[in-house]
């Protein structure tokens, strides 16, 4: 149960954390006036938010699946990247809600995701809900590669950080 | 009363004008439709009691709608402090209690409106599908009995808890609670799912309107809180949810008055 929690709970915490950070910053005007580009500052902060649950997820993988790919890292990185992207695009509340919606949807629809190779490849929590799922490596690779794409999108959007100057969280 | 009305109207308008609320509630409704099972109202046979059909719709919408409500309401009270208007509002002759109740009723009403509209849509669909205009009336009844108590319960805690926990931490805990305490199979882990205190509205839908239950009355741990399904347990569930919401807001009101003093 504890190990299932690592795969299921930590990605939610990371996703909400990145959405909150990326969507709103009370000191944004000040940070934009600094010589360090804002996206460097934000990426470092996002890295910290992802790092500590990632360490716990890696530890859980060591406990449960010695020699197998990391259990909780892929969903964690994927939801964190999604939260950051939606946070930058639409604000903290929207980012948190999208992360929450995807998280609950995947918990409820675990059986439906097992149906085809395409849905199995994007299912976030196979170790908890579908142990022994075929295509494990494809699933991990898909999640990690799409997370990188989401991260690149965040990086590109932050090239014009003035778009974040919208006042209150939307 | 003027303060309450003004605060209510302002919070209602402010929440209704958030594009995030409409787009995301619509997305969650689509997700609900995408995961529909064999007992989903659209799959029920045509000669089926209308109250049960519309209660099924209300229950299905309540799987996700309060989740959106809780996440969106979480920053409403702490926002006043973050924007620095808390002291300004405190200097007004308006009482803390009236402002808090107005804020609570306003944000809860605003987040309930998309669900009400969805229920009216379901009512119109069922009226056409089953040839009974009364389906629209039953849609409103099902909304009031099944959806509204849960939204009031979630709204009260989502408004007040972030003042203690911070909005991001509350959101993580709330989403986890929503899945654990409303949707998770009680055979899997000890959970509040299927109890009288479950805001998803299982007891009201099954006990008062005859819908298929999700987990209400399920045997196992916490069975004291899972009495047999019936009208009495349905009313008890509504009373507990609304009562807990009122008590939470009263406790929050006391805490805010102490802080102001």
């Amino acid at each position: 149960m504890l190990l299932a929690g690592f795969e299921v709970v930590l990605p939610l915490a990371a996703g909400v954390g990145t959405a909150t950070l990326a969507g709103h910053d009370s000191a944004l005007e000040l940070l934009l006036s600094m010589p360090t580009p804002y996206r460097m500052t934000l990426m470092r902060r996002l890295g910290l938010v992802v790092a500590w649950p990632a360490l716990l997820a890696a530890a859980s993988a060591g406990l449960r699946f010695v020699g197998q790919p990391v259990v909780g890292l892929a969903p964690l990185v994927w939801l964190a990247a999604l939260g950051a992207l939606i946070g930058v695009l639409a604000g903290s509340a929207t980012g948190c809600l999208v992360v929450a919606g995807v998280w609950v949807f995947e918990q409820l629809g675990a059986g439906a995701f097992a149906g085809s190779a395409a849905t199995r490849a994007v299912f976030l929590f196979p170790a908890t809900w579908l142990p022994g799922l075929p295509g494990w490596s494809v699933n991990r690779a898909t999640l990690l590669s799409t997370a990188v794409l989401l991260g690149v999108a965040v990086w590109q959007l932050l090239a014009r950080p003035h778009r974040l100057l919208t006042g209150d969280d939307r | 009363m003027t303060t309450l009305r003004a605060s209510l109207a302002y919070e209602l308008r402010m929440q209704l004008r958030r594009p995030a609320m409409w787009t995301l509630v619509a997305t969650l409704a689509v997700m609900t439709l995408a995961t529909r099972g064999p007992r989903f109202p659209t799959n029920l046979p045509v000669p089926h009691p209308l109250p049960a059909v519309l209660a099924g719709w209300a229950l299905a919408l309540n799987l996700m709608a309060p989740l959106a409500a809780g996440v969106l309401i979480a920053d409403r009270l702490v926002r006043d402090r973050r924007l620095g208007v808390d002291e300004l509002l405190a200097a007004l002759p308006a009482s803390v209690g009236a402002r808090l109740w107005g804020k609570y009723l306003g944000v809860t009403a605003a987040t309930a409106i998309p669900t009400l509209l969805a229920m009216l849509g379901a009512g119109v669909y069922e009226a056409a599908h089953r040839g009974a205009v009364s389906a629209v009336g039953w849609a409103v009844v099902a909304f009031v009995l099944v959806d509204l108590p849960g939204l009031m319960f979630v709204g009260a805690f989502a408004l007040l808890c972030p003042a203690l926990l911070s909005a991001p931490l509350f959101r993580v805990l709330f989403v986890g609670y929503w899945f654990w305490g409303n949707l998770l199979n009680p055979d899997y882990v000890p959970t509040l799912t299927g109890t009288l205190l479950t805001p998803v509205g299982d007891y009201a839908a099954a006990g008062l309107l005859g819908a298929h239950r999700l987990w209400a009355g399920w045997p196992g741990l916490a069975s004291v809180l899972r009495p047999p399904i019936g009208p009495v347990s349905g009313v008890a569930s509504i009373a507990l949810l609304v009562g807990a919401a009122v008590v939470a807001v009263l406790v929050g009101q006391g805490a805010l008055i102490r802080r102001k003093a």
Side-chain angles (χ1 to χ4, degrees):
Chain A
M1 188 59 64
L2 177 67
L3 294 169
F6 279 123
E7 190 197 31
V8 171
V9 178
L10 291 176
L12 174 66
V16 171
T18 55
T20 305
L21 259 185
H24 181 78
D25 192 326
S26 303
L28 182 61
E29 289 90 341
L30 183 66
L31 290 169
L32 288 175
S33 70
M34 295 289 170
T36 306
Y38 177 68
R39 64 177 171 180
M40 286 300 297
T41 308
L42 182 61
M43 282 297 181
R44 284 179 194 143
R45 296 171 73 188
L46 291 176
L48 281 175
V49 168
V50 175
W52 68 265
L55 283 174
L56 286 174
S60 81
L63 287 172
R64 190 176 179 183
F65 293 103
V66 176
Q68 285 201 13
V70 175
V71 173
L73 195 59
L76 188 150
V77 173
W78 196 89
L79 270 183
L82 179 72
L85 179 65
I86 306 297
V88 169
L89 278 174
S92 295
T94 309
C96 291
L97 196 42
V98 169
V99 168
V102 169
W103 188 86
V104 172
F105 182 68
E106 294 236 358
Q107 309 289 344
L108 288 178
F113 277 94
S116 75
T119 51
R120 282 198 296 271
V122 295
F123 184 55
L124 290 172
F125 313 111
T128 302
W129 297 113
L130 304 168
L133 181 82
W136 170 271
S137 302
V138 175
N139 173 277
R140 299 291 100 167
T142 307
L143 291 179
L144 286 172
S145 55
T146 47
V148 169
L149 289 177
L150 293 172
V152 170
V154 173
W155 180 260
Q156 289 299 324
L157 284 171
L158 288 173
R160 289 183 297 155
H162 56 272
R163 57 178 290 119
L164 296 172
L165 289 168
T166 55
D168 192 22
D169 189 20
R170 290 145 281 176
Chain B
M1 190 53 82
T2 308
T3 305
L4 177 75
R5 201 167 50 238
S7 178
L8 191 160
Y10 178 73
E11 293 291 341
L12 179 72
R13 282 201 306 273
M14 191 162 60
Q15 193 80 331
L16 286 177
R17 287 175 184 171
R18 287 176 94 177
M21 191 182 80
W22 294 97
T23 52
L24 292 166
V25 169
T27 307
L28 292 179
V30 170
M31 283 180 170
T32 305
L33 286 171
T35 52
R36 65 187 187 274
R39 291 189 306 180
F40 196 80
T42 52
N43 296 330
L44 293 173
V46 170
H48 200 82
L50 276 178
V53 173
L54 273 304
W57 274 102
L59 198 53
L61 288 170
N62 234 21
L63 295 178
M64 292 291 225
L67 180 76
V71 172
L72 287 169
I73 291 173
D75 61 355
R76 292 296 90 184
L77 189 62
V78 292
R79 177 177 175 275
D80 288 347
R81 203 182 311 162
R82 182 163 50 80
L83 294 178
V85 296
D86 218 10
E87 290 81 0
L88 186 67
L89 291 170
L92 296 174
S95 75
V96 172
R99 282 195 288 115
L100 180 67
W101 278 97
K103 189 182 281 286
Y104 166 63
L105 294 173
V107 295
T108 304
T111 45
I113 283 173
T115 307
L116 175 61
L117 293 177
M119 280 303 295
L120 288 173
V124 171
Y125 167 79
E126 293 296 348
H129 181 56
R130 296 171 192 276
V133 181
S134 59
V136 179
W138 282 114
V140 177
V141 171
F143 167 78
V144 171
L145 294 178
V146 179
D147 294 329
L148 201 52
L151 288 168
M152 290 177 69
F153 180 85
V154 166
F157 287 95
L159 186 67
L160 294 163
C161 290
L164 294 174
L165 300 172
S166 83
L169 180 57
F170 170 79
R171 282 169 173 156
V172 172
L173 295 175
F174 172 68
V175 175
Y177 153 76
W178 188 256
F179 180 66
W180 167 78
N182 291 274
L183 310 173
L184 192 61
N185 183 338
D187 292 335
Y188 191 61
V189 289
T191 168
L192 285 174
T193 304
T195 64
L196 293 172
L197 268 171
T198 306
V200 81
D202 210 357
Y203 267 101
L208 294 174
L209 299 170
H212 290 298
R213 70 167 179 181
L214 293 173
W215 304 108
W218 202 258
L221 288 169
S223 55
V224 176
L225 284 169
R226 296 195 187 102
I229 293 170
V232 175
S233 56
V235 171
S237 177
I238 293 172
L240 271 175
L241 290 170
V242 176
V246 170
V247 168
V249 179
L250 287 173
V251 168
Q253 181 181 341
L256 287 177
I257 290 171
R258 265 202 309 279
R259 196 175 72 186
K260 186 182 176 187

